[in-house]
């Protein structure tokens, strides 16, 4: 175990981390920067903080509490996960499984993840070298960016996108090329996609089924993306946390297309599928070399993932397919309640094939912006939605839409729909 | 595909501590390498977690009560005022709190001072943020801070100093004089202090842990990081925190939300129970670890190690290979695993300053004593069986 050159020397000799590149550090937030409560020299706070403002979700949730509004904004269930998974966690705690797990995952969980992936995609992966467990899919994304993206690399993303992507891309110092998916069907604009790819493209970041629109990438779209990745030798980072909540289409993993496994990081988590969003069990599946990069960053972000929950996750993932069928059926009923109710209230509801979100056009109600509409909805109607402008680099692109979730029990959804009848004028 | 890794990832090596742990597991060795207990966590705390899972505390959450309790504890123990609403961020372990603190304060090109020998994770957090780690060696055998060396390490680009006390791997608890010197320097040079205080409740001989934040001029420029892990023997739960002036804490909270969204919900609930533990809990924690420390030192000295510096805190002994043992720390550790079935950590992985002329960097081995007395007794027995059978391992001159 000979000690290599001190990290400092290696960085200075082989990396672009010198002062001239400091200037090319791209700041991709279009929102106002953090306001400091007292005067601090601006040199004290790293410039990247401009991207780490309080999230819209926290703001809306606080407002919701104040007004006793029904929260169809934040994407977590108000019902709990299955008993057998909770029991498994409790047993693990009792059995003393409370110390550091192996950094890249408890062996039984890595194996269960590989087995599930096999069933879902037909791909065989080595749990020891191709699976990494992280604190939720959020951390899988952060570790992937930090482990595989260099300062100045170009990354293609589809807007609207989940808000943590922007922040972690900024941390990695990436240049973002955003392609907007437009209503009503949020299809991938192929010409724009082809124009966005170049030799400078390090990776494309995909989220399917898609938050917030519910769009699921079709085989044709995935084939187009795959062809471009192969042509330009780019990577693909795929956030597939809603893969089990696919209603109107089959979920397809990009990694399963020819030529793609070797260049793809497929990410997922326990939380949405098993209604245990607070457990923070996620994972990244990738070929060994890419996994190496993800694991290095992961080791210094959180070091290890919660041990008892990992044991429970292994039990969860071994559940027979009947669980997933029931999950889909239950959510389909909830979706029906919400979508019917939104349409009756006067929204234009866009089709959503997957996830537990729907996006609706609020402009029939006469508000200038989605934020203004959401505030009105909380204060006067008593329902929370999320303004979708926060999911775009250019907020103007999203201001006609709001996102609702239906991961709530039926009673709550019916009550929310009832309140929204007030919108009908 | 190697070219697809980021430049940073390519420079990183796997954790030597984790690798040795794997070897130890494969050989069925007694693990005195990795710093986690082999005895159970306190029952009340486990029950609190179980009860939280049963009561459906399983979705994303932020348990404000943790901040309230931490605020009380800091006031009680250090006389420090932290506003629980604005000055405290809950994270996935101290690891994430530290990484977030670094991302919140370190811009590309900023220098960060670290005291050597040093826990291996800090430098990579700093490098990930584009910062430059600068090491200030502590002087063996007492691991004293040389103020001259320390002050000479500052440049116009120095942004922060990392203070890990009680210290991993040496077990040093920085003295009042040393903390004063560091505090003065931070104030004069207008730097931030980022602390790692995870062993704060494991100190010996009535030596009290002081946070550098409690020194004049320091609270406004210190980010404290710590966790439940070592204090409550739940290293696998990933509940930690950062405490700092509101502008730092809020930045850390926002970064944490983007890195992981939330710390595991049921364990946040259990943290409320843990942080309400009576003074007797901390007293017996200290006493139990002190007994283990003494037992371990005895075992090592009997075997022939030099223990010139008795750990004042943490659960590590940084023992020195005697002068007439010509094997290196790595050779010794490998042989110890294979011959005696005991795993420890070679000290060289903790040293980062250039090693020419610094022979001592290959002369230390870190032993963890966060193990049950049964384990430590078994380890002592295995070591005593080796005394006399030295040729294979020690290569005495």
């Amino acid at each position: 175990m000979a000690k290599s050159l001190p990290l400092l020397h290696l960085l200075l000799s082989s990396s672009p981390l010198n002062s001239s590149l400091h200037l090319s550090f791209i700041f991709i937030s279009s929102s106002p920067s953090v306001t400091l409560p007292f005067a601090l020299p601006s040199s004290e706070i790293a410039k990247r903080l401009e991207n780490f403002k309080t999230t819209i979700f926290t703001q809306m949730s606080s407002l919701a509490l104040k007004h006793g509004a029904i929260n169809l904004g934040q994407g977590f269930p108000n019902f709990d996960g299955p008993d057998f998974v909770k029991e498994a966690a409790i047993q693990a705690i009792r059995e003393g499984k409370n110390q550091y797990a192996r950094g890249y995952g408890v062996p039984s969980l890595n194996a269960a993840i590989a087995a599930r992936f096999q069933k879902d995609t037909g791909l065989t992966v080595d749990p020891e070298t191709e699976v990494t467990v992280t604190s939720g899919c959020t951390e899988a994304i952060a570790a992937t960016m930090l482990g595989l993206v260099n300062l100045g690399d170009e990354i293609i993303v589809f807007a609207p996108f989940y808000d943590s992507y922007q922040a972690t891309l900024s941390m990695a110092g990436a240049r973002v090329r955003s392609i907007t998916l437009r209503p009503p069907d949020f299809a991938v604009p192929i010409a724009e996609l082809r124009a966005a790819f170049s030799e400078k493209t390090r990776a494309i970041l995909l989220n399917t089924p898609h938050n917030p629109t519910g769009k699921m990438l079709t085989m044709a779209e995935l084939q187009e993306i795959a062809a471009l990745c192969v042509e330009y030798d780019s990577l693909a980072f795929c956030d597939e946390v809603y893969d089990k909540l696919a209603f109107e289409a089959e979920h397809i993993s990009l990694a399963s297309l020819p030529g793609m496994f070797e260049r793809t990081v497929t990410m997922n988590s326990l939380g949405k599928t098993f209604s245990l969003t607070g457990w923070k069990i996620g994972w990244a599946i990738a070929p060994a070399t890419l996994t190496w990069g993800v694991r290095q960053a992961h080791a210094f972000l959180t070091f290890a993932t919660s041990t008892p929950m990992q044991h429970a996750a292994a039990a969860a993932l071994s559940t027979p397919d009947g669980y997933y069928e029931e999950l889909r059926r239950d959510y389909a009923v909830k979706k029906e309640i919400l979508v019917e109710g939104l349409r009756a209230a006067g929204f234009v509801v866009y089709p959503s094939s997957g996830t537990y979100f729907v996006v609706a056009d609020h402009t029939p109600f006469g508000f200038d912006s989605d934020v203004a509409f959401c505030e009105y909805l909380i204060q006067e109607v008593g329902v929370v939605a999320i303004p979708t402008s926060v999911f775009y680099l250019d907020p103007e692109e999203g201001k006609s839409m709001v996102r609702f979730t239906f991961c709530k029990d039926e009673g709550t959804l019916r009550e929310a729909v009832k309140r929204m009848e007030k919108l009908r004028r | 595909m190697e070219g697809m890794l980021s430049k940073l990832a390519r420079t990183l090596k796997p954790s030597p501590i984790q690798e040795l742990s794997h070897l130890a597991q494969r050989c069925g060795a007694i693990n005195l390498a990795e710093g986690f207990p082999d005895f159970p966590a306190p029952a009340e705390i486990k029950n609190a977690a179980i009860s939280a899972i049963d009561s459906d505390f399983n979705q994303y959450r932020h348990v404000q009560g943790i901040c309230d309790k931490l605020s009380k504890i800091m006031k009680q123990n250090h006389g420090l005022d932290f506003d629980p609403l604005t000055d405290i961020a809950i994270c996935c372990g101290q690891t994430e709190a530290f990484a977030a603190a670094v991302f919140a304060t370190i811009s590309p090109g900023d220098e960060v001072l670290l005291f050597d020998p040093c826990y291996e994770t800090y430098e990579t957090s700093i490098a990930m943020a584009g910062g430059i780690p600068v090491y200030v060696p502590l002087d063996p055998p007492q691991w004293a801070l040389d103020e001259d060396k320390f002050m000479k390490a500052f440049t116009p680009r120095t942004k922060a100093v990392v203070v890990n006390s009680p210290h991993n791997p040496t077990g040093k608890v920085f003295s009042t004089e040393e903390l004063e010197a560091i505090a003065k320097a931070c104030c004069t040079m207008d730097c931030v202090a980022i602390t790692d205080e995870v062993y704060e409740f494991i100190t010996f001989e009535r030596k009290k842990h002081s946070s550098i934040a409690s020194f004049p001029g320091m609270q406004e420029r210190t980010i404290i990081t710590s966790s439940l892990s070592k204090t409550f023997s739940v290293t696998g739960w990933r509940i930690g925190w950062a405490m700092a002036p509101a502008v730092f804490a809020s930045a850390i909270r926002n970064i944490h939300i983007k890195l992981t969204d939330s710390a595991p919900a049921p364990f946040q609930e259990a943290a409320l129970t843990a942080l309400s533990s009576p003074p007797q809990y901390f007293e017996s924690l200290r006493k139990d670890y002190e007994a283990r420390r003494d037992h371990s030192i005895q075992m090592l000295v009997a075997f022939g190690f030099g223990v010139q510096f008795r750990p004042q805190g943490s659960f590590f002994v940084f023992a020195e290979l005697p002068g007439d043992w010509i094997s290196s720390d790595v050779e010794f550790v490998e042989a110890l695993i294979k011959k005696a079935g005991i795993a420890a950590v070679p000290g060289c992985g903790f040293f980062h300053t250039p090693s020419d002329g610094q022979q001592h960097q290959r002369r230390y081995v870190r032993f963890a004593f966060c193990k049950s007395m049964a384990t430590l007794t078994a380890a002592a027995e295995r070591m005593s069986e080796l005394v006399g059978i030295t040729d294979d391992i020690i290569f005495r001159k």
Side-chain angles (χ1 to χ4, degrees):
Chain A
M1 200 190 64
K3 188 88 176 72
S4 54
L5 283 174
L7 186 63
L8 168 64
H9 292 159
L10 282 170
L11 284 177
L12 289 181
S13 64
S14 68
S15 92
L17 291 174
N18 56 54
S19 56
S20 67
L21 262 155
H22 174 63
L23 297 170
S24 71
F25 203 83
I26 307 294
F27 302 108
I28 55 178
S29 169
S30 54
S31 313
S33 51
V34 167
T35 25
L36 307 180
F38 48 88
L40 260 187
S42 60
S43 59
E44 276 232 38
I45 311 291
K47 277 190 136 187
R48 66 172 67 82
L49 286 191
E50 288 170 9
N51 288 299
F52 292 98
K53 51 206 182 303
T54 311
T55 71
I56 192 74
F57 304 96
T58 319
Q59 287 165 16
M60 289 286 151
S61 281
S62 308
L63 203 56
L65 273 172
K66 246 171 77 178
H67 294 270
I70 295 176
N71 198 331
L72 300 189
Q74 218 155 2
F76 55 77
N78 67 346
F79 48 83
D80 216 47
D83 280 339
F84 80 94
V85 183
K86 296 187 331 188
E87 278 309 311
I90 288 170
Q91 197 180 344
I93 293 170
R94 288 214 174 99
E95 285 170 3
K97 298 191 160 93
N98 300 304
Q99 307 309 327
Y100 290 127
R102 188 177 63 174
Y104 58 91
V106 157
S108 60
L109 179 55
N110 288 50
I113 291 167
R116 188 69 236 172
F117 193 62
Q118 225 282 336
K119 260 184 138 177
D120 290 339
T121 65
L123 292 166
T124 307
V125 296
D126 181 347
E128 294 305 289
T129 59
E130 296 177 320
V131 176
T132 305
V133 177
T134 55
S135 289
C137 188
T138 306
E139 199 219 331
I141 294 164
T144 298
M145 303 291 198
L146 290 164
L148 299 175
V149 175
N150 292 311
L151 197 75
D153 280 351
E154 272 189 25
I155 308 288
I156 297 174
V157 291
F158 291 113
F161 49 75
Y162 176 57
D163 69 330
S164 90
Y165 297 167
Q166 189 175 343
T168 41
L169 283 165
S170 151
M171 275 164 78
R175 302 179 70 107
V176 176
R177 297 206 61 163
S178 169
I179 299 174
T180 303
L181 304 177
R182 299 181 194 286
D185 57 3
F186 302 104
V188 174
I190 300 296
E192 259 186 74
L193 178 69
R194 287 201 186 125
F197 262 88
S198 75
E199 287 73 29
K200 298 210 221 90
T201 306
R202 166 71 79 170
I204 181 167
L205 176 55
L206 298 180
N207 173 215
T208 178
H210 183 244
N211 173 12
T213 64
K215 156 135 185 93
M216 292 176 63
L217 293 174
T218 63
M219 180 55 100
E221 288 167 330
L222 290 168
Q223 281 169 338
E224 193 66 48
I225 292 167
L228 288 162
C229 285
V230 169
E231 185 183 341
Y232 292 99
D233 200 21
S234 305
L235 302 178
F237 305 150
C238 301
D239 173 357
E240 303 186 0
V241 288
Y242 299 102
D243 68 336
K244 297 290 176 285
L245 292 176
F247 303 111
E248 272 118 59
E250 281 293 304
H251 170 75
I252 305 163
S253 285
L254 183 65
S256 63
L257 270 65
M260 288 310 294
F261 179 74
E262 70 208 53
R263 58 182 70 254
T264 304
V265 181
T266 307
M267 298 170 283
N268 211 324
S269 80
L270 191 75
K272 323 296 191 198
T273 313
F274 289 92
S275 311
L276 295 162
T277 59
W279 280 22
K280 311 310 298 160
I281 300 291
W283 54 85
I285 301 171
T289 336
L290 300 184
T291 292
W292 170 262
V294 173
R295 285 183 185 178
Q296 298 319 302
H298 160 66
F300 302 100
L301 286 176
T302 61
F303 188 66
T305 309
S306 141
T307 311
M309 286 19 184
Q310 287 195 59
H311 287 278
L317 287 177
S318 313
T319 188
D321 287 354
Y323 172 83
Y324 301 109
E325 280 151 27
E326 205 187 314
L327 182 79
R328 255 198 310 278
R329 269 200 308 270
D330 287 347
Y331 269 117
V333 171
K334 297 180 200 298
K335 182 174 175 180
E336 176 94 7
I337 296 170
L338 178 66
V339 171
E340 288 290 299
L342 289 174
R343 290 209 168 110
F347 287 94
V348 174
V349 182
Y350 295 117
S352 157
S353 314
T355 77
Y356 43 47
F357 301 111
V358 292
V359 163
D361 183 338
H362 67 79
T363 54
F365 306 110
F367 284 83
D368 271 344
S369 77
D370 52 343
V371 177
F373 175 73
C374 284
E375 279 167 358
Y376 171 81
L377 197 66
I378 293 175
Q379 285 158 358
E380 301 302 324
V381 177
V383 175
V384 186
I386 294 293
T388 53
S389 53
V390 299
F391 296 106
Y392 293 82
L393 283 184
D394 175 8
E396 282 299 301
E397 293 191 294
K399 71 176 192 176
S400 66
M401 294 177 281
V402 292
R403 185 196 79 175
F404 288 92
T405 178
F406 51 89
C407 56
K408 307 291 170 187
D409 67 82
E410 287 176 34
T412 303
L413 292 169
R414 288 188 204 284
E415 177 60 38
V417 158
K418 192 145 170 277
R419 290 188 187 187
M420 286 193 282
E421 285 170 7
K422 199 177 170 197
L423 289 167
R424 268 200 307 235
R425 288 208 188 118
Chain B
M1 274 293 145
E2 247 240 9
M4 286 301 193
L5 291 175
S6 71
K7 293 184 169 85
L8 178 68
R10 266 178 272 161
T11 66
L12 300 176
K13 304 282 175 285
S15 158
I17 298 179
Q18 283 216 338
E19 279 197 346
L20 280 166
S21 240
H22 297 157
L23 174 64
Q25 252 182 343
R26 288 199 300 274
C27 298
I30 295 178
N31 194 328
L32 303 188
E34 249 198 62
F36 56 78
D38 64 354
F39 48 82
E44 321 78 64
I45 297 167
K46 289 196 295 189
N47 288 336
I50 287 167
S51 157
I53 293 171
D54 269 335
S55 315
D56 300 346
F57 283 112
N58 297 307
Q59 310 310 327
Y60 297 126
R61 69 198 294 110
H62 160 79
V63 176
Q64 182 57 33
I66 295 177
C67 306
D68 299 334
K69 294 212 180 279
L70 286 172
S71 174
K72 268 213 197 78
I73 291 171
M74 292 310 281
K75 182 73 187 179
Q76 219 169 290
N77 294 356
H78 302 280
L80 288 168
D81 286 303
F82 286 98
D83 181 343
L85 284 172
T86 59
D87 298 351
I88 303 176
I90 302 167
C91 297
C92 292
Q94 180 272 342
T95 302
E96 202 210 359
F98 187 89
V102 167
F103 277 112
T105 54
I106 304 304
S107 297
D110 284 349
E111 290 178 5
V112 181
L113 299 189
L114 298 142
F115 297 107
D116 217 37
C118 190
Y119 176 56
E120 55 183 14
T121 306
Y122 305 141
E123 70 173 7
T124 313
S125 295
I126 294 162
M128 273 207 299
I132 298 166
V134 175
Y135 294 95
V136 177
L138 297 172
D139 294 337
Q142 300 299 321
W143 310 110
L145 171 65
D146 180 333
E147 270 189 60
D148 206 44
K149 273 190 210 150
F150 176 55
M151 292 312 296
K152 285 211 170 79
F154 279 89
T155 74
R157 285 189 308 257
T158 308
K159 172 60 93 48
V161 180
V162 173
V163 183
N164 169 221
S165 181
H167 184 247
N168 174 9
T170 65
K172 169 189 174 65
V173 172
F174 282 72
S175 69
T176 307
E177 294 72 34
E178 287 170 330
L179 291 174
E180 252 164 21
I182 298 169
K184 225 171 95 193
C186 285
C187 292
T188 316
M189 310 300 280
D190 195 23
C191 289
V192 165
I194 304 175
T195 76
D196 173 359
E197 302 180 32
V198 289
Y199 302 102
E200 56 188 311
F201 292 108
I202 304 174
T203 57
F204 311 123
E205 270 105 33
R206 311 250 134 238
K207 199 165 176 70
K208 197 177 161 263
H209 161 70
S210 286
S211 178
I212 198 164
S214 58
F215 284 74
M218 286 309 289
Q219 188 171 8
E220 70 214 45
R221 57 180 70 252
T222 303
I223 300 172
I224 293 174
T225 71
S226 192
S227 77
L228 286 187
S229 293
K230 320 297 194 201
T231 309
F232 297 99
S233 309
V234 286
T235 59
W237 283 16
R238 321 314 294 137
I239 300 290
W241 49 82
M243 295 191 274
V247 66
F248 291 132
S250 129
I252 289 166
R253 194 176 306 116
N254 292 340
I255 290 169
H256 153 71
I257 288 172
K258 296 300 160 80
L259 286 180
T260 61
D261 236 336
S262 128
F267 298 137
Q268 287 192 53
E269 282 300 311
L272 295 175
T273 303
L275 294 171
S276 310
S277 299
Q280 298 90 289
Y281 173 81
F282 299 96
E283 189 47 41
S284 65
L285 180 81
R286 238 190 25 76
K287 278 225 301 271
D288 288 347
Y289 269 122
E290 193 161 331
R292 285 164 171 77
R293 177 200 66 166
D294 296 343
H295 185 276
S296 304
I297 291 175
Q298 205 175 23
M299 165 185 87
L300 294 171
V301 165
F303 187 67
F305 274 96
V307 182
Q308 288 189 66
F309 179 73
R310 291 174 75 81
Q312 302 159 320
S314 87
F315 43 52
F316 300 113
V317 180
F318 209 44
E320 189 174 359
L321 300 176
D324 62 343
W325 295 10
I326 63 171
S327 63
S328 72
D329 53 352
V330 176
E331 290 161 343
F332 179 83
V333 166
E334 252 187 79
L336 194 69
I337 293 175
K338 293 176 181 155
K339 303 284 179 189
I342 297 174
V345 184
C348 59
F350 297 99
F351 291 100
H352 303 83
T353 47
S355 49
D356 26 89
Q358 307 291 324
Q359 299 310 320
H360 71 266
Q361 292 189 4
R362 300 218 174 283
R363 307 295 304 161
Y364 282 90
V365 179
R366 190 194 76 175
F367 289 87
F369 51 87
C370 46
K371 309 291 168 185
S372 69
M373 278 313 279
T375 304
L376 295 174
T377 309
E381 267 165 30
R382 289 194 191 182
M383 285 201 95
S384 66
E385 280 159 21
L386 281 179
V387 171
I389 312 170
T390 52
D391 299 344
D392 281 349
I393 298 187
I394 310 297
F395 317 122
R396 280 184 205 272
K397 274 192 252 203

